[in-house]
Amino acid sequence: PPLPRNPFPSILFSEDGGTWLPQPSPVGPQIETISFAQARLIGLTSSSEIYSSVDGSAWAPTTAPARVTRLTGLLTNGSSMITSGWGPAAFPTFSGSSVGLILTSVDGSTSNTAALPEPEGFVVTRIHESAQGGGVFVACAEETPVAGSAAMTAQRALYVSNDGARWRRIGLQALGAIESIIGAAYGNGVFVVTAYDDHYLPVVLQSVDRGATWQRHVVAGIDTVLGTVVHGDGGFVAISYDFGTMVFRSSDGLQWSSVDAWEASMGGG
């Protein structure tokens, strides 16, 4: 039977995975995303606050060292957890009012801001998407020129980490034009990042060696940019970036074909 409607923020709680009951949320904002790491449930709320719980019933706020504007998603590699996004800039010294950040935690109760090796003359102003696989985290970043820098335009980069605390920057300029990075996913030993170039052509960045090296591929055979991407049932699935009205599937992240949205939702295709 359908669960009773609850006009207040709530979570669904189960002790056996079969019977689920709604209970009032122990925090004010709605918990939107939940992950599990180090024997704790970690919840991310609609207002980008982080809470942790050992039983799913009682929740406590996680101490965060940085003010945040928006956090997107929770990822864990089994030993550490990250969440990424952006927050208000501490000093108005560059063209922009926000600064990209990655929060990392090993116990779910406290988090720290990871230091990113930004290139000279640039600062990370957004972390748009992140993915995890093979024990590796990959974060998709937007870098903006520092005020007074000779650089005039923003650029995109990937940041790779084995533990969420220490990060290595992957510059994308040598691969060709990347105007924007949209989605990221991992599956079958492959990282796939969806993007588009300066002509608004669909582009995929792919790594088959746990984020060490990357190749850029222009996607052929489709007339739209790929947006959010996930992996499941042995393949990658992406929605179109424009309005999300089309669904595409790929077994390797390079060759994409459109599928019926209903068929994709049912796991076919």
Side-chain angles (χ1 to χ4, degrees), residues 11-245:
I11 59 175
L12 298 178
F13 180 79
S14 174
E15 294 183 345
D16 58 10
T19 301
W20 293 83
L21 297 174
Q23 65 180 34
S25 173
V27 302
Q30 177 69 53
I31 294 178
E32 291 186 330
T33 303
I34 294 179
S35 185
F36 184 79
Q38 296 297 320
R40 286 177 179 264
L41 293 164
I42 313 298
L44 181 63
T45 74
S46 55
S47 57
S48 295
E49 298 169 334
I50 306 172
Y51 287 79
S52 66
S53 173
V54 295
D55 59 5
S57 178
W59 294 77
T62 293
T63 303
R67 294 167 57 202
V68 299
T69 301
R70 180 62 176 165
L71 295 174
T72 56
L74 292 165
L75 297 173
T76 178
N77 63 0
S79 59
S80 58
M81 180 205 75
I82 71 163
T83 183
S84 57
W86 58 88
F91 305 99
T93 56
F94 51 83
S95 55
S97 58
S98 65
V99 59
L101 55 87
I102 295 175
L103 301 183
T104 180
S105 176
V106 295
D107 60 8
S109 61
T110 59
S111 61
N112 298 294
T113 304
L116 299 177
E118 299 157 323
E120 183 177 357
F122 287 85
V123 65
V124 173
T125 49
R126 289 283 195 280
I127 302 292
H128 289 289
E129 291 288 340
S130 301
Q132 187 279 138
V136 175
F137 297 106
V138 173
C140 305
E142 176 181 329
E143 299 172 337
T144 302
V146 174
S149 169
M152 298 298 293
T153 60
Q155 61 188 22
R156 308 306 186 265
L158 302 177
Y159 286 81
V160 180
S161 174
N162 293 328
D163 59 9
R166 294 176 294 267
W167 293 80
R168 179 171 60 92
R169 178 181 182 273
I170 306 292
L172 302 178
Q173 288 73 19
L175 298 181
I178 300 293
E179 186 69 19
S180 184
I181 295 175
I182 306 168
Y186 176 88
N188 292 342
V190 178
F191 278 105
V192 167
V193 172
T194 56
Y196 61 84
D197 66 9
D198 53 348
H199 297 292
Y200 203 66
L201 294 176
V203 171
V204 164
L205 306 176
Q206 186 192 67
S207 175
V208 297
D209 54 9
R210 301 176 69 246
T213 60
W214 293 80
Q215 292 76 42
R216 174 184 183 273
H217 305 272
V218 176
V219 181
I222 64 175
D223 57 1
T224 185
V225 171
L226 297 174
T228 301
V229 58
V230 297
H231 184 273
D233 195 26
F236 294 94
V237 175
I239 61 172
S240 56
Y241 183 55
D242 298 313
F243 309 112
T245 56

Side-chain angles (χ1 to χ4, degrees), residues 250-263:
S250 173
S251 60
D252 59 5
L254 300 180
Q255 304 296 322
W256 293 83
S257 58
S258 61
V259 296
D260 179 80
W262 171 255
E263 180 183 16

